[in-house]
Amino acid sequence: MSETTIEHESVEGIWSLLRRAMANTAFDTPDDLDRILRRELRRTQLRPNLIDRCLTATRLPLTQPNPP
C-alpha cells in the first residue's frame, strides 16, 4: 500500500464523522462553514475513543511512539 493510500484511509473515518455532524446544514458564508468545521473538529478531539475507532478501522498496525 502506498503512503498516500494509508493517509487517505486514516483520515476518511474522521471526515465521515464530520460530514455526519454537519449533514443537512446550510452555510450562509464560507466563514460559517469554517466555524462549524472547527467546532466539530474540537468536539472530535475531545473524544479520543472516536479517533481510536477510526484508526482501528484502517487495520493498520498501531504502535506507541518511543519516548525520547
Side-chain angles (χ1 to χ4, degrees), residues 6 9 12 14 18-19 22 26 30 33-34 36 38 40 44 46-47 54 60-61 66 68:
I6 293 171
E9 285 183 10
E12 187 60 33
I14 302 296
L18 293 174
R19 282 192 303 262
M22 298 185 330
L33 170 62
D34 184 58
I36 300 297
R38 288 175 188 271
E40 293 303 326
T44 303
L46 295 173
R47 298 178 66 192
C54 291
L60 297 172
N66 294 329

PDB file of all heavy atoms in Angstrom, residues 6 9 12 14 18-19 22 26 30 33-34 36 38 40 44 46-47 54 60-61 66 68:
ATOM      1  N   ILE A   6      -2.554   5.004   2.608  1.00  0.00           N
ATOM      2  CA  ILE A   6      -2.622   4.853   4.065  1.00  0.00           C
ATOM      3  C   ILE A   6      -3.106   6.142   4.708  1.00  0.00           C
ATOM      4  O   ILE A   6      -3.973   6.128   5.573  1.00  0.00           O
ATOM      5  CB  ILE A   6      -1.252   4.425   4.627  1.00  0.00           C
ATOM      6  CG1 ILE A   6      -0.928   3.013   4.159  1.00  0.00           C
ATOM      7  CG2 ILE A   6      -1.239   4.513   6.147  1.00  0.00           C
ATOM      8  CD1 ILE A   6       0.473   2.577   4.458  1.00  0.00           C
ATOM      9  N   GLU A   9      -6.866   6.566   4.062  1.00  0.00           N
ATOM     10  CA  GLU A   9      -7.691   5.694   4.883  1.00  0.00           C
ATOM     11  C   GLU A   9      -7.766   6.175   6.323  1.00  0.00           C
ATOM     12  O   GLU A   9      -8.811   6.069   6.955  1.00  0.00           O
ATOM     13  CB  GLU A   9      -7.160   4.266   4.852  1.00  0.00           C
ATOM     14  CG  GLU A   9      -7.456   3.547   3.571  1.00  0.00           C
ATOM     15  CD  GLU A   9      -6.986   2.108   3.610  1.00  0.00           C
ATOM     16  OE1 GLU A   9      -6.602   1.628   4.696  1.00  0.00           O
ATOM     17  OE2 GLU A   9      -7.011   1.474   2.557  1.00  0.00           O
ATOM     18  N   GLU A  12     -10.180   9.253   6.465  1.00  0.00           N
ATOM     19  CA  GLU A  12     -11.529   9.080   5.931  1.00  0.00           C
ATOM     20  C   GLU A  12     -12.564   8.894   7.042  1.00  0.00           C
ATOM     21  O   GLU A  12     -13.664   9.414   6.962  1.00  0.00           O
ATOM     22  CB  GLU A  12     -11.579   7.901   4.961  1.00  0.00           C
ATOM     23  CG  GLU A  12     -12.891   7.779   4.247  1.00  0.00           C
ATOM     24  CD  GLU A  12     -13.264   8.990   3.418  1.00  0.00           C
ATOM     25  OE1 GLU A  12     -12.372   9.651   2.864  1.00  0.00           O
ATOM     26  OE2 GLU A  12     -14.475   9.279   3.330  1.00  0.00           O
ATOM     27  N   ILE A  14     -12.450  10.127  10.081  1.00  0.00           N
ATOM     28  CA  ILE A  14     -12.676  11.428  10.731  1.00  0.00           C
ATOM     29  C   ILE A  14     -13.587  12.288   9.861  1.00  0.00           C
ATOM     30  O   ILE A  14     -14.530  12.913  10.359  1.00  0.00           O
ATOM     31  CB  ILE A  14     -11.329  12.153  10.987  1.00  0.00           C
ATOM     32  CG1 ILE A  14     -10.402  11.305  11.855  1.00  0.00           C
ATOM     33  CG2 ILE A  14     -11.565  13.528  11.586  1.00  0.00           C
ATOM     34  CD1 ILE A  14     -10.898  11.036  13.251  1.00  0.00           C
ATOM     35  N   LEU A  18     -17.288  14.039  10.645  1.00  0.00           N
ATOM     36  CA  LEU A  18     -17.575  15.463  10.455  1.00  0.00           C
ATOM     37  C   LEU A  18     -18.741  15.675   9.494  1.00  0.00           C
ATOM     38  O   LEU A  18     -19.601  16.526   9.728  1.00  0.00           O
ATOM     39  CB  LEU A  18     -16.337  16.191   9.930  1.00  0.00           C
ATOM     40  CG  LEU A  18     -15.169  16.267  10.902  1.00  0.00           C
ATOM     41  CD1 LEU A  18     -13.957  16.870  10.222  1.00  0.00           C
ATOM     42  CD2 LEU A  18     -15.550  17.048  12.131  1.00  0.00           C
ATOM     43  N   ARG A  19     -18.770  14.897   8.429  1.00  0.00           N
ATOM     44  CA  ARG A  19     -19.879  15.032   7.462  1.00  0.00           C
ATOM     45  C   ARG A  19     -21.210  14.725   8.119  1.00  0.00           C
ATOM     46  O   ARG A  19     -22.199  15.422   7.890  1.00  0.00           O
ATOM     47  CB  ARG A  19     -19.654  14.118   6.265  1.00  0.00           C
ATOM     48  CG  ARG A  19     -18.639  14.651   5.282  1.00  0.00           C
ATOM     49  CD  ARG A  19     -18.666  13.873   3.981  1.00  0.00           C
ATOM     50  NE  ARG A  19     -18.448  12.451   4.173  1.00  0.00           N
ATOM     51  CZ  ARG A  19     -17.288  11.834   4.022  1.00  0.00           C
ATOM     52  NH1 ARG A  19     -16.217  12.522   3.665  1.00  0.00           N
ATOM     53  NH2 ARG A  19     -17.173  10.544   4.213  1.00  0.00           N
ATOM     54  N   MET A  22     -22.397  17.545  10.300  1.00  0.00           N
ATOM     55  CA  MET A  22     -22.804  18.770   9.585  1.00  0.00           C
ATOM     56  C   MET A  22     -23.851  18.485   8.515  1.00  0.00           C
ATOM     57  O   MET A  22     -24.179  19.364   7.725  1.00  0.00           O
ATOM     58  CB  MET A  22     -21.575  19.422   8.952  1.00  0.00           C
ATOM     59  CG  MET A  22     -20.562  19.849   9.979  1.00  0.00           C
ATOM     60  SD  MET A  22     -19.119  20.762   9.371  1.00  0.00           S
ATOM     61  CE  MET A  22     -18.830  20.190   7.760  1.00  0.00           C
ATOM     62  N   ALA A  26     -27.122  24.256   6.064  1.00  0.00           N
ATOM     63  CA  ALA A  26     -26.867  25.248   5.012  1.00  0.00           C
ATOM     64  C   ALA A  26     -25.983  26.337   5.613  1.00  0.00           C
ATOM     65  O   ALA A  26     -26.283  26.870   6.684  1.00  0.00           O
ATOM     66  CB  ALA A  26     -28.171  25.840   4.510  1.00  0.00           C
ATOM     67  N   PRO A  30     -18.705  31.214   3.672  1.00  0.00           N
ATOM     68  CA  PRO A  30     -17.581  30.294   3.932  1.00  0.00           C
ATOM     69  C   PRO A  30     -17.104  30.367   5.386  1.00  0.00           C
ATOM     70  O   PRO A  30     -16.651  29.373   5.943  1.00  0.00           O
ATOM     71  CB  PRO A  30     -16.501  30.771   2.970  1.00  0.00           C
ATOM     72  CG  PRO A  30     -17.250  31.419   1.855  1.00  0.00           C
ATOM     73  CD  PRO A  30     -18.445  32.065   2.514  1.00  0.00           C
ATOM     74  N   LEU A  33     -19.105  27.952   7.450  1.00  0.00           N
ATOM     75  CA  LEU A  33     -18.609  26.593   7.247  1.00  0.00           C
ATOM     76  C   LEU A  33     -17.336  26.379   8.054  1.00  0.00           C
ATOM     77  O   LEU A  33     -17.196  25.367   8.757  1.00  0.00           O
ATOM     78  CB  LEU A  33     -18.344  26.333   5.763  1.00  0.00           C
ATOM     79  CG  LEU A  33     -17.608  25.048   5.425  1.00  0.00           C
ATOM     80  CD1 LEU A  33     -18.406  23.827   5.848  1.00  0.00           C
ATOM     81  CD2 LEU A  33     -17.285  25.002   3.947  1.00  0.00           C
ATOM     82  N   ASP A  34     -16.413  27.310   7.992  1.00  0.00           N
ATOM     83  CA  ASP A  34     -15.153  27.213   8.721  1.00  0.00           C
ATOM     84  C   ASP A  34     -15.401  27.116  10.225  1.00  0.00           C
ATOM     85  O   ASP A  34     -14.813  26.274  10.903  1.00  0.00           O
ATOM     86  CB  ASP A  34     -14.276  28.423   8.392  1.00  0.00           C
ATOM     87  CG  ASP A  34     -12.919  28.340   9.046  1.00  0.00           C
ATOM     88  OD1 ASP A  34     -12.195  27.357   8.789  1.00  0.00           O
ATOM     89  OD2 ASP A  34     -12.595  29.261   9.821  1.00  0.00           O
ATOM     90  N   ILE A  36     -18.131  26.102  11.897  1.00  0.00           N
ATOM     91  CA  ILE A  36     -18.759  24.839  12.269  1.00  0.00           C
ATOM     92  C   ILE A  36     -17.772  23.679  12.130  1.00  0.00           C
ATOM     93  O   ILE A  36     -17.715  22.782  12.987  1.00  0.00           O
ATOM     94  CB  ILE A  36     -20.008  24.575  11.403  1.00  0.00           C
ATOM     95  CG1 ILE A  36     -21.040  25.686  11.588  1.00  0.00           C
ATOM     96  CG2 ILE A  36     -20.607  23.208  11.714  1.00  0.00           C
ATOM     97  CD1 ILE A  36     -21.602  25.804  12.978  1.00  0.00           C
ATOM     98  N   ARG A  38     -14.511  23.783  12.413  1.00  0.00           N
ATOM     99  CA  ARG A  38     -13.563  23.854  13.534  1.00  0.00           C
ATOM    100  C   ARG A  38     -14.203  23.372  14.837  1.00  0.00           C
ATOM    101  O   ARG A  38     -13.574  22.671  15.634  1.00  0.00           O
ATOM    102  CB  ARG A  38     -13.037  25.273  13.697  1.00  0.00           C
ATOM    103  CG  ARG A  38     -12.075  25.674  12.610  1.00  0.00           C
ATOM    104  CD  ARG A  38     -11.673  27.150  12.746  1.00  0.00           C
ATOM    105  NE  ARG A  38     -10.908  27.570  11.624  1.00  0.00           N
ATOM    106  CZ  ARG A  38      -9.576  27.465  11.551  1.00  0.00           C
ATOM    107  NH1 ARG A  38      -8.903  26.936  12.543  1.00  0.00           N
ATOM    108  NH2 ARG A  38      -8.945  27.874  10.477  1.00  0.00           N
ATOM    109  N   GLU A  40     -16.641  21.177  15.179  1.00  0.00           N
ATOM    110  CA  GLU A  40     -16.783  19.726  15.138  1.00  0.00           C
ATOM    111  C   GLU A  40     -15.430  19.026  15.292  1.00  0.00           C
ATOM    112  O   GLU A  40     -15.346  17.966  15.916  1.00  0.00           O
ATOM    113  CB  GLU A  40     -17.480  19.288  13.857  1.00  0.00           C
ATOM    114  CG  GLU A  40     -18.929  19.729  13.787  1.00  0.00           C
ATOM    115  CD  GLU A  40     -19.768  19.247  14.964  1.00  0.00           C
ATOM    116  OE1 GLU A  40     -19.532  18.139  15.484  1.00  0.00           O
ATOM    117  OE2 GLU A  40     -20.671  19.982  15.379  1.00  0.00           O
ATOM    118  N   THR A  44     -14.449  16.375  18.240  1.00  0.00           N
ATOM    119  CA  THR A  44     -13.847  15.080  17.948  1.00  0.00           C
ATOM    120  C   THR A  44     -12.556  14.899  18.737  1.00  0.00           C
ATOM    121  O   THR A  44     -12.291  13.817  19.270  1.00  0.00           O
ATOM    122  CB  THR A  44     -13.584  14.934  16.434  1.00  0.00           C
ATOM    123  OG1 THR A  44     -14.822  15.110  15.738  1.00  0.00           O
ATOM    124  CG2 THR A  44     -13.002  13.581  16.105  1.00  0.00           C
ATOM    125  N   LEU A  46     -11.892  16.016  21.588  1.00  0.00           N
ATOM    126  CA  LEU A  46     -12.214  15.786  22.994  1.00  0.00           C
ATOM    127  C   LEU A  46     -12.764  14.388  23.246  1.00  0.00           C
ATOM    128  O   LEU A  46     -13.011  14.019  24.384  1.00  0.00           O
ATOM    129  CB  LEU A  46     -13.226  16.830  23.479  1.00  0.00           C
ATOM    130  CG  LEU A  46     -12.705  18.268  23.486  1.00  0.00           C
ATOM    131  CD1 LEU A  46     -13.826  19.235  23.821  1.00  0.00           C
ATOM    132  CD2 LEU A  46     -11.561  18.418  24.469  1.00  0.00           C
ATOM    133  N   ARG A  47     -12.943  13.618  22.188  1.00  0.00           N
ATOM    134  CA  ARG A  47     -13.439  12.250  22.309  1.00  0.00           C
ATOM    135  C   ARG A  47     -12.443  11.296  21.655  1.00  0.00           C
ATOM    136  O   ARG A  47     -12.655  10.812  20.553  1.00  0.00           O
ATOM    137  CB  ARG A  47     -14.818  12.143  21.662  1.00  0.00           C
ATOM    138  CG  ARG A  47     -15.837  13.057  22.357  1.00  0.00           C
ATOM    139  CD  ARG A  47     -17.177  13.001  21.717  1.00  0.00           C
ATOM    140  NE  ARG A  47     -17.753  11.665  21.885  1.00  0.00           N
ATOM    141  CZ  ARG A  47     -18.824  11.261  21.223  1.00  0.00           C
ATOM    142  NH1 ARG A  47     -19.416  12.056  20.372  1.00  0.00           N
ATOM    143  NH2 ARG A  47     -19.288  10.046  21.409  1.00  0.00           N
ATOM    144  N   CYS A  54     -11.641   5.173  14.526  1.00  0.00           N
ATOM    145  CA  CYS A  54     -11.343   5.486  13.122  1.00  0.00           C
ATOM    146  C   CYS A  54     -10.004   4.879  12.708  1.00  0.00           C
ATOM    147  O   CYS A  54      -9.875   4.333  11.616  1.00  0.00           O
ATOM    148  CB  CYS A  54     -11.334   6.990  12.896  1.00  0.00           C
ATOM    149  SG  CYS A  54     -12.960   7.755  13.024  1.00  0.00           S
ATOM    150  N   LEU A  60      -4.505  -0.750  10.219  1.00  0.00           N
ATOM    151  CA  LEU A  60      -3.061  -0.515  10.210  1.00  0.00           C
ATOM    152  C   LEU A  60      -2.488  -0.887  11.567  1.00  0.00           C
ATOM    153  O   LEU A  60      -3.157  -0.739  12.582  1.00  0.00           O
ATOM    154  CB  LEU A  60      -2.770   0.969   9.927  1.00  0.00           C
ATOM    155  CG  LEU A  60      -3.216   1.493   8.571  1.00  0.00           C
ATOM    156  CD1 LEU A  60      -3.053   3.000   8.524  1.00  0.00           C
ATOM    157  CD2 LEU A  60      -2.404   0.841   7.481  1.00  0.00           C
ATOM    158  N   PRO A  61      -1.257  -1.348  11.624  1.00  0.00           N
ATOM    159  CA  PRO A  61      -0.673  -1.650  12.930  1.00  0.00           C
ATOM    160  C   PRO A  61      -0.449  -0.359  13.711  1.00  0.00           C
ATOM    161  O   PRO A  61       0.166   0.586  13.208  1.00  0.00           O
ATOM    162  CB  PRO A  61       0.655  -2.334  12.588  1.00  0.00           C
ATOM    163  CG  PRO A  61       0.959  -1.896  11.187  1.00  0.00           C
ATOM    164  CD  PRO A  61      -0.344  -1.624  10.520  1.00  0.00           C
ATOM    165  N   ASN A  66       8.044   5.751  20.680  1.00  0.00           N
ATOM    166  CA  ASN A  66       9.091   5.541  21.668  1.00  0.00           C
ATOM    167  C   ASN A  66       9.436   6.860  22.327  1.00  0.00           C
ATOM    168  O   ASN A  66       9.640   7.872  21.635  1.00  0.00           O
ATOM    169  CB  ASN A  66      10.334   4.954  21.015  1.00  0.00           C
ATOM    170  CG  ASN A  66      10.085   3.573  20.482  1.00  0.00           C
ATOM    171  OD1 ASN A  66       9.277   2.833  21.023  1.00  0.00           O
ATOM    172  ND2 ASN A  66      10.764   3.236  19.404  1.00  0.00           N
ATOM    173  N   PRO A  68      11.599   9.821  23.919  1.00  0.00           N
ATOM    174  CA  PRO A  68      12.970  10.259  23.554  1.00  0.00           C
ATOM    175  C   PRO A  68      13.993   9.931  24.611  1.00  0.00           C
ATOM    176  O   PRO A  68      13.790   9.641  25.702  1.00  0.00           O
ATOM    177  CB  PRO A  68      12.852  11.771  23.395  1.00  0.00           C
ATOM    178  CG  PRO A  68      11.518  12.159  23.886  1.00  0.00           C
ATOM    179  CD  PRO A  68      10.713  10.914  24.110  1.00  0.00           C
TER     180      PRO A  68
END
